[in-house]
Coordinates of all heavy atoms in Angstrom, one line a residue:
M1 N -46.2 -44.9 -24.5 CA -47.0 -44.7 -23.3 C -46.1 -44.5 -22.1 O -45.1 -45.2 -22.0 CB -47.9 -45.9 -23.1 CG -48.8 -45.8 -21.9 SD -49.9 -47.2 -21.8 CE -51.3 -46.5 -21.0
A2 N -46.4 -43.6 -21.3 CA -45.6 -43.3 -20.1 C -45.7 -44.5 -19.1 O -46.6 -45.2 -19.1 CB -46.0 -42.0 -19.4
N3 N -44.6 -44.6 -18.3 CA -44.7 -45.6 -17.2 C -45.8 -45.3 -16.2 O -46.0 -44.1 -15.9 CB -43.3 -45.7 -16.5 CG -42.3 -46.3 -17.3 OD1 -42.5 -47.0 -18.3 ND2 -41.0 -46.0 -17.0
R4 N -46.4 -46.3 -15.7 CA -47.5 -46.1 -14.8 C -47.0 -46.5 -13.4 O -46.3 -47.4 -13.2 CB -48.7 -47.1 -15.1 CG -49.3 -46.7 -16.5 CD -50.4 -47.7 -16.9 NE -51.5 -47.7 -16.0 CZ -52.6 -46.9 -16.2 NH1 -52.6 -46.0 -17.3 NH2 -53.6 -46.9 -15.4
T5 N -47.3 -45.6 -12.4 CA -47.0 -45.8 -11.0 C -47.9 -46.8 -10.4 O -49.2 -46.7 -10.5 CB -47.0 -44.5 -10.2 OG1 -46.1 -43.6 -10.8 CG2 -46.6 -44.7 -8.8
R6 N -47.4 -47.8 -9.8 CA -48.2 -48.9 -9.1 C -48.3 -48.5 -7.6 O -47.4 -48.5 -6.9 CB -47.6 -50.2 -9.3 CG -47.4 -50.6 -10.7 CD -46.6 -51.8 -10.9 NE -45.2 -51.6 -10.3 CZ -44.3 -52.5 -10.2 NH1 -44.5 -53.8 -10.6 NH2 -43.1 -52.2 -9.7
W7 N -49.5 -48.1 -7.2 CA -49.8 -47.5 -5.9 C -50.3 -48.6 -4.9 O -51.0 -49.5 -5.3 CB -50.9 -46.5 -5.9 CG -50.4 -45.2 -6.5 CD1 -50.5 -44.7 -7.8 CD2 -49.7 -44.1 -5.8 NE1 -49.9 -43.5 -7.9 CE2 -49.4 -43.1 -6.7 CE3 -49.3 -44.0 -4.4 CZ2 -48.7 -42.0 -6.3 CZ3 -48.6 -42.9 -4.1 CH2 -48.4 -41.8 -5.0
G8 N -49.9 -48.4 -3.6 CA -50.4 -49.2 -2.5 C -51.0 -48.2 -1.5 O -50.4 -47.1 -1.3
I9 N -52.1 -48.5 -0.8 CA -52.6 -47.6 0.2 C -52.6 -48.4 1.5 O -53.1 -49.5 1.6 CB -54.1 -47.3 -0.2 CG1 -54.2 -46.5 -1.5 CG2 -54.7 -46.4 1.0 CD1 -55.6 -46.1 -1.9
L10 N -52.1 -47.7 2.5 CA -52.1 -48.1 3.9 C -53.2 -47.3 4.7 O -53.2 -46.1 4.6 CB -50.8 -47.9 4.6 CG -49.6 -48.6 4.0 CD1 -48.3 -48.0 4.6 CD2 -49.7 -50.1 4.2
G11 N -54.1 -48.0 5.4 CA -55.1 -47.3 6.1 C -56.3 -47.1 5.1 O -56.1 -46.4 4.1
L12 N -57.4 -47.7 5.3 CA -58.4 -47.9 4.3 C -59.7 -47.2 4.6 O -60.8 -47.7 4.3 CB -58.6 -49.4 4.0 CG -57.3 -50.1 3.6 CD1 -57.6 -51.6 3.4 CD2 -56.6 -49.5 2.4
G13 N -59.6 -46.0 5.1 CA -60.8 -45.2 5.5 C -61.3 -44.3 4.3 O -61.0 -44.6 3.1
N14 N -62.0 -43.3 4.6 CA -62.7 -42.4 3.7 C -61.7 -41.8 2.7 O -61.9 -41.7 1.5 CB -63.5 -41.4 4.4 CG -64.4 -40.6 3.4 OD1 -65.0 -41.2 2.5 ND2 -64.4 -39.3 3.5
I15 N -60.6 -41.3 3.2 CA -59.6 -40.6 2.3 C -59.0 -41.6 1.4 O -58.8 -41.3 0.2 CB -58.5 -39.9 3.1 CG1 -59.2 -38.7 3.9 CG2 -57.4 -39.3 2.2 CD1 -58.2 -38.0 4.9
A16 N -58.8 -42.8 1.8 CA -58.2 -43.9 1.0 C -59.2 -44.2 -0.2 O -58.8 -44.4 -1.3 CB -58.0 -45.1 1.8
K17 N -60.5 -44.2 0.2 CA -61.5 -44.5 -0.9 C -61.5 -43.3 -1.9 O -61.7 -43.6 -3.1 CB -62.9 -44.6 -0.2 CG -63.0 -45.9 0.6 CD -64.4 -46.0 1.2 CE -64.4 -47.4 2.0 NZ -65.7 -47.6 2.6
Q18 N -61.4 -42.1 -1.4 CA -61.4 -41.0 -2.4 C -60.1 -41.1 -3.3 O -60.2 -40.8 -4.5 CB -61.3 -39.6 -1.6 CG -62.7 -39.4 -0.9 CD -62.6 -38.1 0.0 OE1 -61.9 -37.1 -0.4 NE2 -63.2 -38.1 1.1
F19 N -59.0 -41.4 -2.7 CA -57.8 -41.6 -3.5 C -58.0 -42.7 -4.5 O -57.6 -42.5 -5.7 CB -56.6 -41.9 -2.6 CG -55.3 -42.0 -3.3 CD1 -54.6 -40.8 -3.7 CD2 -54.7 -43.2 -3.6 CE1 -53.4 -40.9 -4.3 CE2 -53.5 -43.3 -4.3 CZ -52.8 -42.1 -4.6
A20 N -58.5 -43.8 -4.1 CA -58.8 -45.0 -5.0 C -59.7 -44.5 -6.2 O -59.4 -44.9 -7.3 CB -59.3 -46.1 -4.2
R21 N -60.7 -43.8 -5.9 CA -61.6 -43.3 -6.9 C -60.9 -42.4 -7.9 O -61.0 -42.4 -9.1 CB -62.8 -42.6 -6.3 CG -63.8 -43.6 -5.7 CD -65.1 -42.8 -5.3 NE -65.8 -43.7 -4.3 CZ -65.8 -43.5 -3.0 NH1 -65.2 -42.5 -2.5 NH2 -66.5 -44.3 -2.3
G22 N -60.0 -41.5 -7.3 CA -59.3 -40.6 -8.1 C -58.3 -41.2 -9.1 O -58.1 -40.8 -10.2
L23 N -57.7 -42.4 -8.6 CA -56.8 -43.1 -9.5 C -57.4 -43.6 -10.8 O -56.8 -43.7 -11.8 CB -56.1 -44.2 -8.8 CG -54.9 -43.9 -7.9 CD1 -54.4 -45.1 -7.2 CD2 -53.8 -43.3 -8.7
T24 N -58.7 -43.8 -10.7 CA -59.4 -44.2 -12.0 C -59.4 -43.2 -13.0 O -59.7 -43.5 -14.2 CB -60.8 -44.7 -11.7 OG1 -61.6 -43.6 -11.2 CG2 -60.8 -45.8 -10.6
A25 N -59.2 -41.9 -12.6 CA -59.3 -40.8 -13.6 C -57.9 -40.4 -14.1 O -57.8 -39.5 -15.0 CB -59.9 -39.6 -12.9
V26 N -56.9 -41.0 -13.7 CA -55.5 -40.7 -14.2 C -55.0 -41.7 -15.2 O -55.4 -42.9 -15.1 CB -54.5 -40.4 -13.1 CG1 -55.0 -39.3 -12.2 CG2 -54.3 -41.7 -12.3
S27 N -54.1 -41.3 -16.0 CA -53.6 -42.3 -17.0 C -52.3 -42.9 -16.6 O -51.8 -43.7 -17.3 CB -53.5 -41.6 -18.4 OG -52.6 -40.5 -18.3
D28 N -51.7 -42.4 -15.5 CA -50.3 -42.9 -15.2 C -50.2 -43.5 -13.8 O -49.2 -43.6 -13.2 CB -49.4 -41.7 -15.3 CG -49.7 -40.6 -14.3 OD1 -50.8 -40.6 -13.7 OD2 -48.9 -39.6 -14.2
G29 N -51.3 -44.1 -13.3 CA -51.3 -44.7 -12.0 C -52.3 -45.8 -11.9 O -53.4 -45.7 -12.4
D30 N -52.0 -46.9 -11.1 CA -52.9 -48.0 -10.9 C -52.8 -48.3 -9.4 O -51.7 -48.3 -8.8 CB -52.4 -49.2 -11.6 CG -52.6 -49.0 -13.1 OD1 -53.7 -48.7 -13.6 OD2 -51.6 -49.2 -13.8
L31 N -53.9 -48.7 -8.8 CA -54.0 -49.1 -7.4 C -53.8 -50.7 -7.5 O -54.6 -51.4 -8.0 CB -55.3 -48.8 -6.8 CG -55.5 -49.2 -5.3 CD1 -54.4 -48.7 -4.4 CD2 -56.9 -48.8 -4.8
V32 N -52.6 -51.1 -7.0 CA -52.3 -52.5 -7.1 C -52.3 -53.3 -5.7 O -52.2 -54.5 -5.7 CB -50.9 -52.8 -7.8 CG1 -51.0 -52.2 -9.2 CG2 -49.8 -52.1 -7.0
A33 N -52.3 -52.5 -4.6 CA -52.2 -53.1 -3.3 C -52.9 -52.3 -2.3 O -52.9 -51.0 -2.4 CB -50.8 -53.4 -2.9
C34 N -53.4 -52.9 -1.2 CA -53.9 -52.2 -0.1 C -53.5 -53.0 1.2 O -53.3 -54.2 1.1 CB -55.4 -52.0 -0.2 SG -56.4 -53.5 -0.2
G35 N -53.4 -52.2 2.3 CA -53.0 -52.8 3.5 C -53.8 -52.3 4.7 O -54.1 -51.1 4.8
S36 N -54.1 -53.2 5.6 CA -54.9 -52.9 6.8 C -54.3 -53.7 7.9 O -53.5 -54.5 7.7 CB -56.4 -53.2 6.5 OG -57.2 -52.9 7.7
R37 N -54.9 -53.5 9.1 CA -54.5 -54.3 10.3 C -55.1 -55.6 10.3 O -54.6 -56.5 11.0 CB -54.8 -53.5 11.6 CG -53.9 -52.3 11.8 CD -54.3 -51.6 13.0 NE -55.6 -51.0 12.8 CZ -56.2 -50.2 13.7 NH1 -55.7 -50.0 14.9 NH2 -57.4 -49.7 13.4
T38 N -56.1 -55.8 9.5 CA -56.8 -57.1 9.4 C -57.1 -57.5 8.0 O -57.3 -56.7 7.1 CB -58.1 -57.1 10.2 OG1 -59.1 -56.3 9.5 CG2 -58.0 -56.7 11.6
Q39 N -57.0 -58.8 7.7 CA -57.3 -59.3 6.4 C -58.7 -59.0 5.9 O -58.9 -58.6 4.7 CB -57.0 -60.8 6.3 CG -57.0 -61.3 4.8 CD -55.8 -60.7 4.0 OE1 -54.7 -60.8 4.4 NE2 -56.1 -60.1 2.9
P40 N -59.7 -59.2 6.8 CA -61.1 -58.8 6.3 C -61.2 -57.4 5.8 O -61.9 -57.1 4.8 CB -62.0 -59.1 7.5 CG -61.2 -60.2 8.3 CD -59.8 -59.8 8.1
N41 N -60.6 -56.4 6.5 CA -60.7 -55.0 6.1 C -60.0 -54.8 4.7 O -60.5 -54.1 3.9 CB -60.1 -54.1 7.1 CG -61.0 -53.9 8.3 OD1 -62.1 -54.3 8.3 ND2 -60.4 -53.4 9.4
A42 N -58.8 -55.5 4.6 CA -58.1 -55.4 3.3 C -58.9 -56.0 2.2 O -59.0 -55.4 1.1 CB -56.7 -56.0 3.4
D43 N -59.5 -57.1 2.5 CA -60.3 -57.8 1.4 C -61.6 -57.0 1.1 O -61.9 -56.9 -0.1 CB -60.7 -59.2 1.9 CG -59.6 -60.2 1.9 OD1 -58.6 -59.9 1.2 OD2 -59.7 -61.1 2.6
R44 N -62.2 -56.4 2.0 CA -63.4 -55.6 1.8 C -63.1 -54.4 0.9 O -63.7 -54.1 -0.1 CB -64.0 -55.1 3.1 CG -65.4 -54.5 3.0 CD -66.0 -54.3 4.4 NE -65.2 -54.2 5.6 CZ -65.0 -55.2 6.5 NH1 -65.6 -56.4 6.3 NH2 -64.2 -55.0 7.5
F45 N -62.0 -53.7 1.2 CA -61.5 -52.6 0.4 C -61.1 -53.1 -1.0 O -61.5 -52.5 -2.0 CB -60.4 -51.9 1.1 CG -59.9 -50.6 0.4 CD1 -60.4 -49.4 0.8 CD2 -59.0 -50.6 -0.6 CE1 -60.0 -48.2 0.2 CE2 -58.5 -49.4 -1.2 CZ -59.1 -48.2 -0.8
G46 N -60.4 -54.2 -1.0 CA -59.9 -54.7 -2.3 C -61.1 -55.1 -3.2 O -61.0 -54.9 -4.4
D47 N -62.1 -55.7 -2.6 CA -63.3 -56.1 -3.4 C -64.0 -54.8 -4.0 O -64.4 -54.8 -5.2 CB -64.3 -56.8 -2.5 CG -63.9 -58.2 -2.2 OD1 -62.9 -58.7 -2.8 OD2 -64.5 -58.8 -1.3
E48 N -64.1 -53.8 -3.2 CA -64.8 -52.6 -3.6 C -64.0 -51.9 -4.8 O -64.6 -51.4 -5.7 CB -64.9 -51.6 -2.5 CG -65.7 -50.3 -2.8 CD -65.9 -49.4 -1.6 OE1 -65.7 -49.8 -0.5 OE2 -66.4 -48.3 -1.9
F49 N -62.7 -51.9 -4.7 CA -61.9 -51.2 -5.7 C -61.1 -52.1 -6.7 O -60.2 -51.6 -7.4 CB -61.0 -50.2 -5.0 CG -61.7 -49.1 -4.3 CD1 -62.0 -49.2 -3.0 CD2 -62.3 -48.1 -5.1 CE1 -62.7 -48.2 -2.3 CE2 -63.1 -47.1 -4.4 CZ -63.3 -47.1 -3.1
E50 N -61.4 -53.4 -6.6 CA -60.7 -54.4 -7.5 C -59.2 -54.3 -7.4 O -58.5 -54.3 -8.4 CB -61.1 -54.1 -9.0 CG -62.6 -54.3 -9.2 CD -63.1 -54.1 -10.6 OE1 -62.2 -53.9 -11.5 OE2 -64.3 -54.1 -10.8
V51 N -58.7 -54.3 -6.1 CA -57.3 -54.3 -5.8 C -56.8 -55.7 -5.8 O -57.3 -56.6 -5.1 CB -57.0 -53.6 -4.5 CG1 -55.6 -53.6 -4.2 CG2 -57.7 -52.2 -4.4
P52 N -55.8 -56.0 -6.7 CA -55.3 -57.4 -6.8 C -54.6 -57.9 -5.5 O -54.7 -59.1 -5.2 CB -54.5 -57.4 -8.0 CG -54.1 -56.0 -8.2 CD -55.2 -55.2 -7.7
S53 N -53.8 -57.1 -4.9 CA -53.0 -57.6 -3.8 C -53.5 -56.9 -2.5 O -53.5 -55.7 -2.3 CB -51.5 -57.2 -4.0 OG -50.7 -57.7 -3.0
R54 N -53.9 -57.7 -1.5 CA -54.4 -57.3 -0.2 C -53.6 -57.8 0.9 O -53.4 -59.0 1.0 CB -55.9 -57.7 -0.1 CG -56.8 -57.2 -1.2 CD -57.5 -58.4 -1.9 NE -58.2 -57.9 -3.0 CZ -59.5 -58.2 -3.2 NH1 -60.2 -58.8 -2.3 NH2 -60.1 -57.8 -4.3
H55 N -53.2 -56.9 1.8 CA -52.3 -57.3 2.9 C -52.9 -57.1 4.2 O -53.6 -56.0 4.5 CB -51.0 -56.5 2.8 CG -50.2 -56.7 1.5 ND1 -49.5 -57.8 1.2 CD2 -50.1 -55.9 0.4 CE1 -49.0 -57.7 0.0 NE2 -49.3 -56.6 -0.5
A56 N -52.6 -58.0 5.2 CA -53.2 -57.9 6.5 C -52.2 -57.2 7.5 O -52.4 -57.2 8.7 CB -53.5 -59.3 7.0
S57 N -51.2 -56.6 6.9 CA -50.3 -55.8 7.8 C -49.7 -54.7 6.9 O -49.6 -54.8 5.7 CB -49.2 -56.6 8.4 OG -48.2 -56.9 7.4
Y58 N -49.3 -53.6 7.6 CA -48.7 -52.5 6.8 C -47.3 -52.9 6.4 O -46.9 -52.5 5.3 CB -48.6 -51.2 7.7 CG -50.0 -50.8 8.3 CD1 -50.1 -50.4 9.6 CD2 -51.1 -50.8 7.5 CE1 -51.4 -49.9 10.1 CE2 -52.3 -50.4 7.9 CZ -52.5 -50.0 9.2 OH -53.7 -49.6 9.7
E59 N -46.6 -53.6 7.1 CA -45.3 -54.1 6.8 C -45.3 -54.9 5.5 O -44.4 -54.8 4.6 CB -44.6 -54.9 7.9 CG -43.2 -55.3 7.6 CD -42.6 -56.1 8.7 OE1 -43.3 -56.4 9.7 OE2 -41.4 -56.4 8.6
A60 N -46.3 -55.8 5.4 CA -46.4 -56.6 4.2 C -46.6 -55.8 2.9 O -45.9 -56.0 1.9 CB -47.5 -57.6 4.3
L61 N -47.4 -54.7 3.0 CA -47.6 -53.9 1.9 C -46.3 -53.1 1.6 O -45.9 -53.0 0.4 CB -48.7 -52.9 2.1 CG -49.1 -52.1 0.8 CD1 -50.6 -51.8 0.7 CD2 -48.3 -50.8 0.7
A62 N -45.6 -52.6 2.6 CA -44.4 -51.9 2.4 C -43.3 -52.7 1.7 O -42.5 -52.2 1.0 CB -43.9 -51.3 3.7
N63 N -43.4 -54.0 1.9 CA -42.4 -54.9 1.3 C -42.9 -55.5 0.0 O -42.2 -56.4 -0.6 CB -42.0 -56.0 2.3 CG -41.2 -55.5 3.4 OD1 -40.3 -54.7 3.3 ND2 -41.6 -55.9 4.6
D64 N -44.0 -55.1 -0.5 CA -44.6 -55.7 -1.8 C -43.7 -55.2 -2.9 O -43.7 -54.0 -3.2 CB -46.0 -55.3 -1.9 CG -46.7 -56.0 -3.1 OD1 -46.1 -56.3 -4.1 OD2 -48.0 -56.1 -3.0
P65 N -43.1 -56.1 -3.7 CA -42.2 -55.6 -4.8 C -43.0 -55.1 -6.0 O -42.4 -54.5 -6.9 CB -41.4 -56.9 -5.2 CG -42.3 -58.0 -4.7 CD -43.0 -57.5 -3.5
E66 N -44.3 -55.3 -6.0 CA -45.2 -54.8 -7.1 C -45.6 -53.4 -6.9 O -46.4 -52.8 -7.7 CB -46.4 -55.7 -7.3 CG -46.0 -57.2 -7.7 CD -45.2 -57.2 -9.0 OE1 -45.6 -56.6 -9.9 OE2 -44.2 -57.9 -9.0
V67 N -45.3 -52.8 -5.8 CA -45.7 -51.4 -5.4 C -44.6 -50.4 -5.6 O -43.5 -50.6 -5.1 CB -46.2 -51.4 -4.0 CG1 -46.6 -49.9 -3.6 CG2 -47.4 -52.3 -3.8
D68 N -44.8 -49.3 -6.4 CA -43.8 -48.3 -6.6 C -43.9 -47.2 -5.6 O -43.0 -46.6 -5.1 CB -44.0 -47.7 -8.0 CG -43.8 -48.7 -9.1 OD1 -42.9 -49.5 -9.0 OD2 -44.6 -48.6 -10.0
G69 N -45.2 -46.8 -5.2 CA -45.4 -45.7 -4.3 C -46.5 -46.1 -3.3 O -47.4 -46.8 -3.6
E70 N -46.4 -45.7 -2.1 CA -47.3 -46.0 -1.0 C -47.9 -44.7 -0.5 O -47.2 -43.7 -0.3 CB -46.7 -46.7 0.1 CG -46.1 -48.1 -0.3 CD -44.8 -48.4 0.4 OE1 -44.4 -47.6 1.3 OE2 -44.1 -49.3 0.0
L71 N -49.2 -44.7 -0.2 CA -49.9 -43.6 0.5 C -50.3 -44.1 1.8 O -51.1 -45.1 1.9 CB -51.1 -43.2 -0.4 CG -51.9 -42.0 0.2 CD1 -51.0 -40.7 0.2 CD2 -53.2 -41.8 -0.5
G72 N -49.8 -43.6 2.9 CA -50.2 -44.0 4.2 C -51.2 -43.0 4.8 O -50.9 -41.8 4.9
L73 N -52.4 -43.5 5.2 CA -53.4 -42.7 5.8 C -53.8 -43.3 7.2 O -54.8 -43.8 7.4 CB -54.7 -42.8 4.8 CG -54.4 -42.3 3.4 CD1 -55.4 -42.7 2.5 CD2 -54.3 -40.8 3.4
L74 N -52.8 -43.1 8.1 CA -52.9 -43.7 9.4 C -53.0 -42.6 10.5 O -52.2 -41.7 10.5 CB -51.7 -44.6 9.6 CG -51.4 -45.6 8.5 CD1 -50.1 -46.2 8.7 CD2 -52.5 -46.6 8.4
A75 N -53.9 -42.8 11.4 CA -54.1 -42.0 12.6 C -54.0 -40.5 12.3 O -53.4 -39.7 13.0 CB -53.0 -42.4 13.6
G76 N -54.7 -40.1 11.2 CA -54.8 -38.7 10.9 C -53.5 -38.1 10.2 O -53.4 -36.9 10.0
I77 N -52.6 -38.9 9.9 CA -51.3 -38.5 9.3 C -51.3 -39.0 7.9 O -51.4 -40.2 7.7 CB -50.1 -38.9 10.1 CG1 -50.1 -38.3 11.5 CG2 -48.8 -38.5 9.4 CD1 -49.1 -38.9 12.4
I78 N -51.1 -38.1 6.9 CA -51.0 -38.6 5.5 C -49.5 -38.5 5.1 O -48.9 -37.5 5.3 CB -51.8 -37.7 4.6 CG1 -53.3 -37.7 5.0 CG2 -51.6 -38.1 3.2 CD1 -54.2 -36.8 4.3
T79 N -49.0 -39.6 4.7 CA -47.6 -39.7 4.2 C -47.6 -40.4 2.8 O -48.4 -41.2 2.5 CB -46.7 -40.5 5.2 OG1 -47.2 -41.8 5.2 CG2 -46.7 -39.9 6.5
A80 N -46.6 -40.0 2.1 CA -46.4 -40.7 0.8 C -44.9 -41.0 0.7 O -44.1 -40.2 1.1 CB -46.8 -39.8 -0.4
T81 N -44.6 -42.2 0.3 CA -43.3 -42.7 0.1 C -43.2 -43.3 -1.2 O -44.2 -43.6 -1.8 CB -42.8 -43.7 1.2 OG1 -43.6 -44.9 1.0 CG2 -42.9 -43.2 2.6
G82 N -42.0 -43.3 -1.7 CA -41.8 -43.9 -3.1 C -40.6 -44.7 -3.2 O -39.6 -44.5 -2.5
R83 N -40.7 -45.7 -4.1 CA -39.6 -46.5 -4.5 C -39.3 -46.3 -6.0 O -38.9 -47.2 -6.6 CB -39.8 -47.9 -4.1 CG -39.8 -48.1 -2.6 CD -40.1 -49.5 -2.2 NE -41.6 -49.7 -2.3 CZ -42.2 -50.8 -2.0 NH1 -41.5 -51.9 -1.7 NH2 -43.5 -50.9 -2.1
L84 N -39.7 -45.2 -6.5 CA -39.6 -44.9 -7.9 C -38.1 -44.8 -8.3 O -37.3 -44.2 -7.6 CB -40.3 -43.7 -8.3 CG -41.8 -43.6 -8.0 CD1 -42.3 -42.3 -8.3 CD2 -42.5 -44.7 -8.8
M85 N -37.7 -45.4 -9.4 CA -36.4 -45.4 -9.9 C -35.3 -45.8 -8.8 O -34.3 -45.2 -8.7 CB -36.0 -44.0 -10.5 CG -36.9 -43.7 -11.7 SD -36.4 -42.2 -12.5 CE -37.3 -41.0 -11.5
G86 N -35.7 -46.7 -7.9 CA -34.8 -47.2 -7.0 C -34.5 -46.3 -5.8 O -33.4 -46.5 -5.1
T87 N -35.3 -45.3 -5.5 CA -35.1 -44.4 -4.4 C -36.0 -44.7 -3.3 O -37.0 -45.4 -3.4 CB -35.2 -43.0 -4.8 OG1 -36.6 -42.8 -5.1 CG2 -34.4 -42.6 -6.0
D88 N -35.7 -44.2 -2.1 CA -36.5 -44.4 -0.9 C -37.5 -43.3 -0.8 O -38.4 -43.3 0.1 CB -35.7 -44.4 0.4 CG -34.6 -45.4 0.4 OD1 -34.8 -46.5 0.1 OD2 -33.5 -44.9 0.8
S89 N -37.4 -42.2 -1.5 CA -38.2 -41.0 -1.3 C -38.5 -40.4 -2.6 O -37.8 -40.6 -3.6 CB -37.5 -40.0 -0.4 OG -36.3 -39.6 -0.9
W90 N -39.5 -39.5 -2.6 CA -39.8 -38.8 -3.8 C -38.7 -37.8 -4.2 O -38.1 -37.2 -3.4 CB -41.1 -38.0 -3.6 CG -42.3 -38.9 -3.3 CD1 -42.9 -39.1 -2.1 CD2 -42.9 -39.8 -4.2 NE1 -43.9 -40.0 -2.2 CE2 -43.9 -40.5 -3.5 CE3 -42.7 -40.1 -5.6 CZ2 -44.7 -41.4 -4.1 CZ3 -43.6 -41.1 -6.1 CH2 -44.5 -41.7 -5.4
S91 N -38.4 -37.7 -5.5 CA -37.4 -36.7 -5.9 C -38.1 -35.6 -6.7 O -39.1 -35.7 -7.2 CB -36.3 -37.4 -6.7 OG -36.6 -38.6 -7.2

């Protein structure tokens, strides 16, 4: 079985929900963390999508060692970063 990417999502609006739903259809990725500016928002999203790790700050999610890749959906800007194979960016 191939390695699975452990995803975290920053910014928990509609696009984040679509991404979370999409991850259920792939065999090589899991949503393991979410981050918001407030704990109640992170918990609400986490409850809806069964996310085990919920962060009340973007920085906390970015420093979560259980996350391989992050999808940032903040202020209309979509970014993806990765820590796959010990790198800071996608290769």
Side-chain angles (χ1 to χ4, degrees):
M1 179 178 214
N3 290 336
R4 296 174 69 88
T5 301
R6 300 170 301 172
W7 285 96
I9 299 178
L10 299 168
L12 305 177
N14 188 47
I15 295 173
K17 290 179 180 182
Q18 291 176 36
F19 184 80
R21 285 185 199 104
L23 275 178
T24 65
V26 300
S27 62
D28 61 353
D30 294 304
L31 181 56
V32 299
C34 61
S36 182
R37 290 178 290 181
T38 68
Q39 192 65 54
N41 285 346
D43 289 338
R44 193 169 21 258
F45 187 92
D47 289 345
E48 183 175 350
F49 294 100
E50 300 179 9
V51 181
S53 185
R54 299 127 187 234
H55 300 284
S57 76
Y58 303 140
E59 182 179 5
L61 188 146
N63 291 316
D64 187 331
E66 298 301 314
V67 174
D68 299 317
E70 298 142 6
L71 181 67
L73 301 162
L74 309 170
I77 300 171
I78 299 174
T79 61
T81 63
R83 290 179 279 182
L84 301 173
M85 295 187 276
T87 66
D88 306 310
S89 60
W90 298 107
S91 14

